[in-house]
């Protein structure tokens, strides 16, 4: 009899939430990363604003786009002067919202560029992949942690392309407001 009540409770719980939604999730984050495999190696620190726009299915899955705009930051190459840095990245994302206040997602960078203001005005272009987790402990607010791995395809400067390629790994801690319609 207990199993029957459990099955009934699960069916009622899923039937109440059985609808598709649009997810709009603006976020504000702080990104820390490091560039390796090319000279000079360096570190990045960026303040990012962004938003996820996704279609949320009835079974807790969602798919959509994530636009990340680094509004201010620094690129600190080893042994050289610092550059002001700004990020511009668009991801295709897929995620899952678990019923225990946890969320997870993965993203593939469709377009990624980090603009540096300084000598030669370099632009770093690559293909990032990110993995994120979040928790909603407070009403309407989600605390998130993302790890991004990026393969640098090319570095453009005012005088032409630089042949060096490399990798960039970064962590971003963010606060978001997931809204469903």
């Amino acid at each position: 009899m207990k199993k029957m009540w459990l099955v009934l409770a699960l069916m009622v719980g899923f039937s109440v939430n059985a609808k598709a939604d649009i997810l709009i999730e603006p976020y504000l984050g702080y990104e820390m990363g490091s560039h390796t495999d090319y000279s000079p190696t360096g570190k990045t620190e960026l303040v990012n604003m962004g938003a996820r726009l996704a279609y949320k299915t009835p079974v807790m899955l969602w798919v959509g786009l994530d636009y990340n705009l680094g509004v201010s930051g620094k690129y600190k190459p080893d042994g050289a002067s610092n550059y002001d840095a700004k990020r511009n990245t668009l991801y295709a994302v897929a995620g899952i919202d678990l019923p225990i206040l946890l969320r997870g997602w993965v993203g593939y960078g469709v377009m990624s560029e980090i603009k540096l203001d300084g000598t030669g005005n370099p632009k770093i272009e690559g293909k990032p992949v990110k993995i994120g987790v979040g928790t909603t402990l407070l009403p309407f607010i989600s605390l998130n942690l993302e790890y991004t791995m990026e393969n640098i395809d090319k570095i453009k400067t005012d005088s032409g392309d630089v042949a060096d390629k490399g990798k960039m790994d970064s962590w971003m801690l963010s606060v978001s407001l997931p809204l469903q319609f």
Side-chain angles (χ1 to χ4, degrees):
M1 186 69 168
K2 289 182 184 179
K3 289 181 185 179
M4 187 176 184
W5 283 108
L6 180 62
V7 169
L8 181 63
L10 285 173
M11 287 176 53
V12 169
F14 281 122
S15 66
V16 170
N17 291 328
K19 63 180 180 189
D21 291 324
I22 299 296
L23 171 70
I24 299 174
E25 183 178 5
Y27 61 85
L28 178 65
Y30 181 72
E31 178 182 340
M32 301 156 288
S34 62
H35 292 254
T36 58
D37 294 341
Y38 65 90
S39 181
T41 59
K43 298 192 181 319
T44 56
E45 294 178 1
L46 295 163
V47 174
N48 293 326
M49 287 180 20
R52 284 182 268 280
L53 176 62
Y55 172 76
K56 191 168 179 183
T57 66
V59 289
M60 302 181 290
L61 298 173
W62 49 273
V63 293
L65 298 172
D66 180 345
Y67 182 67
N68 183 345
L69 180 65
V71 291
S72 70
K74 294 284 184 195
Y75 173 64
K76 302 174 181 178
D78 297 337
S81 60
N82 296 345
Y83 291 91
D84 289 332
K86 293 185 179 177
R87 174 182 284 284
N88 187 10
T89 306
L90 179 66
Y91 294 95
V93 292
I96 186 167
D97 290 343
L98 299 173
I100 54 172
L101 303 176
L102 281 176
R103 317 170 64 212
W105 60 91
V106 294
Y108 176 76
V110 178
M111 174 200 73
S112 178
E113 178 180 77
I114 299 175
K115 293 180 183 178
L116 306 176
D117 292 332
T119 307
N121 296 319
K123 293 179 187 174
I124 301 170
E125 295 180 358
K127 296 288 184 216
V129 176
K130 72 175 176 178
I131 299 169
V133 294
T135 183
T136 308
L137 299 175
L138 303 171
F140 306 114
I141 296 176
S142 181
L143 301 173
N144 310 306
L145 181 65
E146 292 180 347
Y147 176 67
T148 305
M149 303 155 285
E150 186 167 1
N151 289 323
I152 306 299
D153 292 335
K154 58 184 159 183
I155 301 172
K156 294 181 178 181
T157 63
D158 290 342
S159 59
D161 291 353
V162 177
D164 289 344
K165 295 184 179 185
K167 295 186 184 288
M168 183 179 99
D169 296 322
S170 62
W171 291 92
M172 183 171 75
L173 183 60
S174 65
V175 176
S176 65
L177 181 64
L179 303 170
Q180 296 178 31
F181 299 98

